[in-house]
Amino acid sequence: MSEVSKWPAINPFHWGYNGTVSHIVGENGSLKLSLKDSKDQVELDTFVNKYVPLLKNGAHFKLSPYLFTGILQTLYLNAADFSKKFPVFYGREIVKFSDNGVCTADWVMNSWKNEYKFNQKTTSFDTGKFGDDEKATHPEGWPRLQPRTRYMTEDELKEIKKVDLPLVVICHGLAGGSHEPIIRSLAENLSRNGKFQVVVLNTRGCARSKITTKNLFTAYHTMDIREFLQREKQKYPDRKLYAIGCSFGATMLVNYLGEEGDKSPLSAAVTLCNPWDLLLSAIRMTEDWWSKNLFSKNIAQFLTRTVQVNMGELGVPDGSVPDHPPTVENPSYYNFTHENLMKAKHFKSSLEFDELYTAPSLGFSSAMEYYKAASSINRVDKIKVPTLIINSRDDPVVGPDQPYSIVEKNPRVLYCRTDLGGHLAYLDNDNNSWATRAISEFLSKFDELIV
């Protein structure tokens, strides 16, 4: 009997398009929140039930009847053409960290929609002026960016730093970035009403960013989130900060929240489709027929391409030995050789990638050992920030089993379980995401009503 058979597999014949939200709350209730302009307090669960109709316990939502399983939802999100949906403009900033590494922050620039005019004939924004501005601001030697994204000028960066609206930081999924449809949908929903400043923090090496140190991101890689939030809090100490983590970005965010405890400057956080138990997800992606054949290889090749395009920094001569014993705090990337890269190009799962690269670089004996240690389920009990969790039971990447018993013990966490939605999808008839609307509604009401 294979190890994955201990858990129920996703059933591709379990179908529907009328979804339901269920709250998972512990016997001690949930965190009490203080309302603005009132001495009253309201529990997190009650707050959502009263002020966030999309997410209240028992709420129903409709998805596309053509995408009637989580597998179809996830496949369509990753395969369909969303180029004309969610036309968000981003201004890119290169963010430098204390270890001399960099990532990129893509700030939502709604004002650019007026500057770069919409062409009714082509149903897209004119690229002429935008292309000129993109060339003028693009740093030498850096990869070409995704549509509607360019680097900002020094003056534009100064203007961004003057904005003191509540800030929402979005953390994307594995080897993804600001260009992903679901991330653009989130950014568009959150920035539409002008209540929030929104930024996507692209992980090192992702979204056509460069890697400038030997430090590649892992589930343990929480230092960039920490430093970026600290930087933003220092600029405007009194404004609220929020964070959203999607998929692997949710794992990193929860690990950060658990490590940081009550020191985090965040007022609230949201996770969407977090693979809570990385070990369980890895087994599912390698042994469950549907997950293995439809999704696993694509993820492995995304990771391999991230390594390939950054071999100039990561790569070391074949046969080299580490200059120090690898640990989580002090990783060593001696295994990023050209020989190993050739092997990785044939990988069919992220487990193979982590077995060759990630686990050894952190000092773990195997990918399974790394997954056990790095899973965010280990740290959810230490979260001190009000946190909304959304996971679907028909998610082909995460699977139907969720950490209810552990979540129930932390009153600061509200688990919204849905029966439908797939992985990061939740697509309706118009290819809009119910989940991104729900998250936007939650943060909008939280910022409006909670101290």
Side-chain angles (χ1 to χ4, degrees), residues 299-368:
I299 295 174
Q301 292 310 305
F302 269 129
L303 293 170
T304 299
R305 281 196 293 273
T306 301
V307 171
Q308 182 175 3
V309 299
N310 288 284
M311 279 296 286
E313 178 60 42
L314 290 173
V316 296
D318 289 344
S320 294
V321 295
D323 55 359
H324 58 78
T327 64
V328 171
E329 295 78 17
N330 194 14
S332 179
Y333 288 90
Y334 64 93
N335 47 349
F336 284 89
T337 65
H338 290 283
E339 180 183 1
N340 282 343
L341 178 60
M342 293 302 104
K343 294 179 185 178
K345 288 184 177 182
H346 301 285
F347 285 167
K348 295 181 179 180
S349 72
S350 56
L351 188 150
E352 292 175 287
F353 180 93
D354 290 327
E355 188 78 23
L356 179 65
Y357 287 128
T358 311
S361 71
L362 295 172
F364 291 108
S365 62
S366 68
M368 293 301 189

Side-chain angles (χ1 to χ4, degrees), residues 53-70:
L54 286 177
L55 286 169
K56 71 179 181 180
N57 192 33
H60 299 291
F61 56 91
K62 286 186 178 295
L63 303 180
S64 169
Y66 300 105
L67 306 173
F68 49 82
T69 71

Side-chain angles (χ1 to χ4, degrees), residues 92 104 172-177 202-209 217 306:
R92 176 162 292 194
T104 57
H172 61 80
L174 193 62
N202 296 308
T203 307
R204 301 183 188 202
C206 294
R208 302 183 182 177
S209 299
F217 72 91
T306 301

Side-chain angles (χ1 to χ4, degrees), residues 10 61 63 67 69-75 77 272-273 295 390-399 418-427:
I10 294 294
F61 56 91
L63 303 180
L67 306 173
T69 71
I71 291 171
L72 288 175
Q73 282 274 334
T74 308
L75 275 174
L77 177 66
L272 178 63
C273 298
F295 308 113
I390 302 174
N391 274 91
S392 173
R393 283 185 57 80
D394 72 348
D395 185 328
V397 175
V398 178
T418 67
D419 52 346
L420 303 173
H423 189 68
L424 298 179
Y426 293 92
L427 299 171

